[in-house]
Amino acid sequence: MASVVSLFVSPAIGRPMQTCTSVRAFAGRGLEGDRYERGEGSYSKLARVAARHVSLIAREAIEASNEELARRGLIPFEMNETRRNIVVEGIDVYGLLGKEFLIGAVRLRGSEPTIPCRIPSAVAGKTGFAEAYRDRGGVRAEVLSDGIISIGDLVQTD
């Protein structure tokens, strides 16, 4: 079964992600306390077709990317350093694109893949993120209903 293993929010651009055990999701906005929920994210002002309320990444993708970094002699990234809001396990997050799904009781829709950039490297003071996480950077999703997301919540698809 797919489930949430970690949750993070970032109050401001370039600030470290803060760990949460649960967080309130707001339909049409994002996660309480996160810069994107307040419209203050790095990409909030850009005209976009897809909603960027939250980001998801698979724990398995983090592990594979970190193995690649280690093989190259680079320092791996901690889960919070990926700058993704929700870390899940047991599901291919790319399979959520264009589909509605539930995390706990919160309804979301996968909107677009994330393109790994250099911001995680800059904030963490490490190199290699964009390259190691290419094709494994996760997805963004639109929050469709209010509710609480907690560590351990199941990720359910139709």
Side-chain angles (χ1 to χ4, degrees), residues 54-136:
V54 300
S55 53
L56 295 91
I57 191 169
R59 179 190 51 76
E60 295 88 348
I62 294 171
E63 290 172 354
S65 297
N66 282 339
E67 287 172 10
E68 179 181 324
L69 286 165
R71 279 193 304 275
R72 294 172 41 208
L74 299 174
I75 301 169
F77 285 77
E78 299 295 326
M79 285 187 195
N80 65 312
E81 292 174 330
T82 67
R83 304 204 57 81
R84 304 303 185 253
N85 299 115
I86 304 169
V87 180
V88 298
E89 66 181 1
I91 190 168
D92 175 9
V93 296
Y94 294 97
L96 302 173
L97 291 171
K99 298 178 182 172
E100 288 190 19
F101 59 98
L102 290 171
I103 297 181
V106 177
R107 196 164 41 95
L108 302 102
R109 179 184 303 115
S111 57
E112 67 180 0
T114 63
I115 307 299
C117 65
R118 307 230 181 269
I119 293 172
S121 283
V123 174
K126 299 176 180 180
T127 58
F129 182 86
E131 298 79 14
Y133 281 77
R134 183 181 55 249
D135 300 323
R136 295 187 278 233

Side-chain angles (χ1 to χ4, degrees), residues 25-32 34 36-39 52-54 143:
F26 295 105
R29 293 181 19 213
L31 303 179
E32 185 173 40
D34 191 69
Y36 279 93
E37 182 262 331
R38 293 189 313 275
R52 292 178 160 211
H53 300 156
V54 300
V143 179

Side-chain angles (χ1 to χ4, degrees), residues 34-50:
D34 191 69
R35 67 201 185 284
Y36 279 93
E37 182 262 331
R38 293 189 313 275
E40 299 172 1
S42 299
Y43 302 101
S44 292
K45 305 296 186 237
L46 299 178
R48 305 286 302 182
V49 175

